[in-house]
Amino acid sequence: MTQRRRVAARGVLLAILVAVWLTGCGGEGQRTLSIATGNTNGLYYPLGGGLASIWSRHVDGVNMKAETTAGSVTNLIQVAKGESEVGFTQADALAAALAGTGRFPEPMPLLSIGKLYPNVVHLVTVRSTGIESVHDLRGRRVSVGPPGSGNAVTAWNVLEAMGIGESDFTVRQLNYAQMSNGLKDGTLDAGFIAGGVGMPAVVEIAVSRDMVLVPFTDDEIATIVRAEPAYSGFDMPPGVYRGVDEAVLTPTLWNLLVVSRSMDEGLAYDLTRTMLERRGDLENISSVASFITPASARDVGDFPIHPGARRYYDEVLGSGTR
């Protein structure tokens, strides 16, 4: 083979390899988008990874990647700024973002594409602390969750509704892994973990220590709901966590998916449709995905819903009121 032919052959081989590489990466014309999730010990991250895979495989022109974040507050800011296209959030954090209150200096241009599953407030401790109610947290070392997380928003909403302020206990701002380690080694007395039923971080604590899921009373739930209408009461069923053998009443609120107000209607429609049509794939990741149905997902309450998502829900459910 002449030198010229060798060079030409190498060029053809290189072109083939580049084409194969592009195919594996989504090929030409695909946009790489991101979904802001949470830390790896929660449910946002594995569910976000599942959604990213579903959307990448079944939505034309989309290559979606899941990214770890501090949680709801960070996700909302990233989506509003265009740094992420989709984000997980708790309802209380979204309400603050839309109103421009709390951690948000101004109203954020956000819309929902669907409600997901209930976030249960786990107030966890170990039996040796003697903590039996939320009021026993006074004078203790308590983690509210890391800065920028929806977990912290929820913890403070619950505590403030109960009349417990920052000066009433030693505040720790730990992620789930740090919180778990603190409860295990005795450097922490209690912590808030807001997430779906069967949270991996709570499972881990229950397996390794004599964990207590602190109950709330009916009156305490009513007080929280008056202060934060997005909340309601939830009976954690027995048997979900080791050592929790009776139902435990605790606050809960819903998680949602949000996008920017400027997202293309067709893209929002495709993301919503594909998520609902492939929701069985998400149930293989976590049982909480069983809550994600078209009727439940459309029921976002007073939150504004993206026109593309609304179009999908109207097609499968009939025209709604929103």
Side-chain angles (χ1 to χ4, degrees):
M1 184 180 291
T2 66
Q3 181 66 21
R4 182 177 295 177
R5 287 180 178 175
R6 288 193 187 96
V7 172
R10 290 194 194 104
V12 171
L13 178 59
L14 180 60
I16 292 172
L17 291 174
V18 170
V20 170
W21 180 81
L22 285 172
T23 299
C25 294
E28 288 187 26
Q30 284 212 331
R31 293 170 291 173
T32 297
L33 310 179
S34 71
I35 176 171
T37 63
N39 69 65
T40 55
N41 294 101
L43 287 177
Y44 282 179
Y45 182 70
L47 286 175
L51 277 172
S53 176
I54 290 168
W55 285 333
S56 295
R57 285 186 284 121
H58 300 288
V59 177
D60 290 341
V62 167
N63 179 35
M64 184 74 69
K65 296 186 179 298
E67 57 179 322
T68 58
T69 69
S72 295
V73 174
T74 300
N75 297 349
L76 291 164
I77 293 171
Q78 288 188 187
V79 173
K81 289 183 174 181
E83 296 170 358
S84 300
E85 283 69 33
V86 185
F88 282 81
T89 183
Q90 296 174 177
D92 51 359
L94 178 56
L98 293 173
T101 59
R103 297 289 301 276
F104 306 94
E106 59 186 24
M108 301 282 103
L110 300 164
L111 297 172
S112 175
I113 62 170
K115 190 173 75 173
L116 299 176
Y117 62 91
N119 234 22
V120 180
V121 179
H122 302 75
L123 175 51
V124 296
T125 185
V126 293
R127 197 162 301 281
S128 60
T129 65
I131 294 173
E132 297 180 348
S133 79
V134 65
H135 298 287
D136 293 335
L137 297 180
R138 288 185 169 87
R140 303 302 188 100
R141 300 161 298 179
V142 183
S143 176
V144 297
S149 68
N151 198 103
V153 172
T154 296
W156 284 117
N157 282 341
V158 170
L159 288 166
E160 290 169 4
M162 293 290 94
I164 301 172
E166 196 169 342
S167 62
D168 292 322
F169 63 95
T170 301
V171 179
R172 296 282 188 263
Q173 294 180 294
L174 309 177
N175 63 33
Y176 293 155
Q178 294 168 331
M179 188 185 306
S180 176
N181 290 334
L183 288 171
K184 292 175 188 176
D185 63 24
T187 59
L188 187 70
D189 297 310
F192 285 86
I193 297 179
V197 175
M199 277 288 291
V202 182
V203 170
E204 180 187 342
I205 297 168
V207 167
S208 58
R209 288 292 183 272
D210 192 7
M211 188 196 77
V212 173
L213 187 59
V214 178
F216 288 72
T217 67
D218 289 329
D219 287 343
E220 288 168 347
I221 294 295
T223 299
I224 294 168
V225 173
R226 281 195 296 272
E228 297 288 341
Y231 289 72
S232 60
F234 178 83
D235 284 309
M236 177 66 72
V240 173
Y241 303 111
R242 180 177 175 269
V244 181
D245 301 321
E246 298 180 354
V248 176
L249 180 62
T250 188
T252 190
L253 70 160
W254 284 82
N255 296 290
L256 301 97
L257 279 181
V258 294
V259 298
S260 170
R261 191 182 298 159
S262 64
M263 176 176 277
D264 175 75
E265 181 176 331
L267 177 58
Y269 173 89
D270 287 338
L271 295 179
T272 307
R273 174 186 57 80
T274 306
M275 174 180 69
L276 271 299
E277 289 181 352
R278 310 293 304 190
R279 62 186 183 275
D281 295 348
L282 295 177
E283 290 188 48
N284 293 328
I285 297 172
S286 174
S287 61
V288 301
S290 62
F291 287 98
I292 307 172
T293 66
S296 176
R298 182 170 71 173
D299 183 18
V300 296
D302 292 332
F303 293 125
I305 194 166
H306 195 286
R310 186 190 306 118
R311 177 157 62 91
Y312 167 75
Y313 294 126
D314 288 350
E315 286 178 3
V316 297
L317 299 170
S319 297
T321 58
R322 300 190 59 77

